[in-house]
Amino acid sequence: MDVVSAAMCLYLLFPILNERQQRYSEWINRNLSSSPSEVEKRLELVKFLELKENDYTVPEEIPLGEDYSEGKLSEGDGSDDGETVRNIVEVYLKDTRNHLKQFEYGEERFCVGDREGLRSSVVSVNGDTVTRTRYDSSYRMIESIVWKNGSSVADSLMLNKKNWFYRENAVYMTEDDFEAKTFADTVFNERKLPVKYSLYAIVENAETPDAEKKQKKNLSRVDYFEYDDQDQITLEREEVYEQRMNEFSGRQKDVIVYTWEKKYSYREDLETPDFKFYEDGKLRREVQQVDENAYYEYIYFPGGAEVKAKYVDGTKVEENMYLYGVK
């Protein structure tokens, strides 16, 4: 845990970073201990968060493991000889309603806050990332943002952002992946199962002057899903897109260049379904279950060629080739 992790944690809960918060960030990153000075500093944070000192507890310290003894690191662990082992402790901070406000355990940390009329905001610091998740008054997730845990606030770049939108019979989610430079939106049905997923590539808009260059979204693919009454998937379909020039308008447009589709069928006596795989509307592969351990696979090639194989426990035990139905 470094200074930035702690500072970011406080900053996300209290967006206006002030001098007092900066002072807290200078000590909160240190390994926790029960020394009087550390306790006094942690109590400052309790007051700053408007918590009751009675609600602030430090549970029993937990040793790191049996490989450590006499307060020294064991040999062969890559650490300097004589370095003192710091025990991992759990720290809980609660508010006046006895609700959890902050939790720390080793390198893991999360904080819970209420602001702007939202039910709660949770900040989690773990390793190289900092995540803030916000919930509405019905405790539904509405936003999740992941930052890079950099060596300074300027280096703490936003890596990923998700937003959820709730309607009567559907849920919508958008995702910005700033590392991959993509944008995605997902539609869920009333049973919270995804029914449509669209992925876009974020590129510079070359149609505008350099001084006014803006980013635009190019559609990469769209996935569709269908389910039966038992929420078993019955259809997967993917459309792959490319951007091509429109000869009339002179502008690029999204064009479907490839599609594939999987259709599933279920039997009462088997958990694994049969399925058929199509490319651009043509049947290319089919799997028919014999039982849970064996199935037949059919592969169809252009020109009337076909391969039929049988698998038992994942091993091919039989294979035949056909041309126009003749072996």
Side-chain angles (χ1 to χ4, degrees):
M1 169 63 70
D2 56 22
V3 175
V4 177
S5 299
M8 180 64 71
C9 191
L10 287 173
Y11 173 74
L12 295 175
L13 284 175
F14 308 94
I16 302 176
L17 188 64
N18 56 44
E19 184 179 352
R20 290 181 65 194
Q21 287 174 304
Q22 185 61 41
R23 292 205 310 271
Y24 299 136
S25 70
E26 293 175 358
W27 58 264
I28 200 171
N29 66 291
R30 301 175 187 171
N31 287 335
L32 302 170
S33 70
S34 301
S35 66
S37 61
E38 292 297 318
V39 171
E40 181 180 357
K41 291 172 182 177
R42 289 201 294 270
L43 289 179
E44 287 186 52
L45 179 59
V46 171
K47 294 179 181 178
F48 179 76
L49 296 176
E50 299 180 352
L51 311 178
K52 293 193 305 183
E53 295 185 11
N54 305 355
D55 293 330
Y56 172 66
T57 60
V58 182
E60 181 181 358
E61 295 185 358
I62 304 174
L64 287 175
E66 297 179 356
D67 292 337
Y68 299 89
S69 60
E70 298 181 359
K72 306 294 182 181
L73 291 172
S74 60
E75 295 181 1
D77 61 2
S79 302
D80 295 335
D81 293 338
E83 183 178 346
T84 301
V85 174
R86 294 184 181 273
N87 288 338
I88 298 177
V89 296
E90 293 181 348
V91 174
Y92 301 87
L93 300 180
K94 302 177 183 179
D95 61 17
T96 55
R97 297 168 296 174
N98 205 35
H99 293 168
L100 180 66
K101 196 75 172 179
Q102 184 169 328
F103 171 78
E104 302 172 15
Y105 179 77
E107 292 297 316
E108 298 180 5
R109 165 194 304 268
F110 76 86
C111 306
V112 182
D114 298 314
R115 67 183 185 86
E116 298 178 1
L118 300 176
R119 175 64 64 185
S120 62
S121 176
V122 176
V123 178
S124 173
V125 181
N126 192 338
D128 297 331
T129 60
V130 178
T131 303
R132 182 185 70 185
T133 305
R134 295 196 300 158
Y135 301 84
D136 64 11
S137 57
S138 299
Y139 296 101
R140 297 177 303 187
M141 190 180 299
I142 60 174
E143 182 183 71
S144 177
I145 302 178
V146 180
W147 282 270
K148 176 184 176 183
N149 189 7
S151 57
S152 66
V153 175
D155 292 333
S156 299
L157 303 176
M158 190 181 296
L159 302 178
N160 187 280
K161 180 180 179 182
K162 295 179 182 178
N163 289 94
W164 286 263
F165 307 90
Y166 299 89
R167 303 293 184 266
E168 289 185 2
N169 297 320
V171 178
Y172 303 87
M173 184 190 76
T174 62
E175 179 178 5
D176 289 280
D177 190 325
F178 301 104
E179 284 191 302
K181 295 184 179 180
T182 61
F183 173 83
D185 62 71
T186 306
V187 181
F188 300 86
N189 62 17
E190 66 277 4
R191 301 191 300 275
K192 307 300 186 294
L193 297 171
V195 294
K196 183 180 180 181
Y197 171 83
S198 303
L199 179 67
Y200 300 83
I202 305 301
V203 298
E204 296 295 332
N205 190 352
E207 298 176 1
T208 60
D210 291 344
E212 302 177 1
K213 187 172 292 186
K214 298 180 180 179
Q215 291 183 333
K216 68 174 183 176
K217 297 185 293 185
N218 287 341
L219 184 60
S220 298
R221 80 172 199 262
V222 181
D223 298 333
Y224 299 91
F225 309 92
E226 295 180 6
Y227 309 87
D228 61 16
D229 294 338
Q230 285 74 46
D231 291 340
Q232 299 175 122
I233 190 164
T234 59
L235 173 70
E236 289 181 274
R237 174 181 171 84
E238 180 173 287
E239 299 173 347
V240 179
Y241 288 80
E242 286 184 1
Q243 286 66 48
R244 295 184 178 177
M245 190 71 67
N246 187 310
E247 58 182 6
F248 298 104
S249 65
R251 297 195 174 198
Q252 287 188 336
K253 64 177 182 178
D254 299 321
V255 178
I256 297 178
V257 294
Y258 173 73
T259 64
W260 64 261
E261 190 173 82
K262 255 187 178 183
K263 294 182 178 180
Y264 299 88
S265 57
Y266 297 84
R267 291 162 27 194
E268 293 183 357
D269 58 331
L270 294 177
E271 293 185 4
T272 305
D274 299 339
F275 72 85
K276 294 182 178 181
F277 177 80
Y278 299 82
E279 284 186 317
D280 295 326
K282 297 180 181 180
L283 181 61
R284 296 301 187 195
R285 183 170 177 249
E286 183 177 358
V287 170
Q288 296 179 355
Q289 296 292 138
V290 177
D291 52 40
E292 289 296 345
N293 300 314
Y295 63 87
Y296 284 103
E297 179 187 56
Y298 301 83
I299 300 178
Y300 305 97
F301 297 92
E306 174 187 335
V307 175
K308 178 182 177 180
K310 183 178 181 180
Y311 290 81
V312 178
D313 294 327
T315 302
K316 185 187 296 185
V317 297
E318 179 184 334
E319 183 178 73
N320 296 291
M321 299 186 67
Y322 301 83
L323 184 62
Y324 299 109
V326 180
K327 188 173 180 180

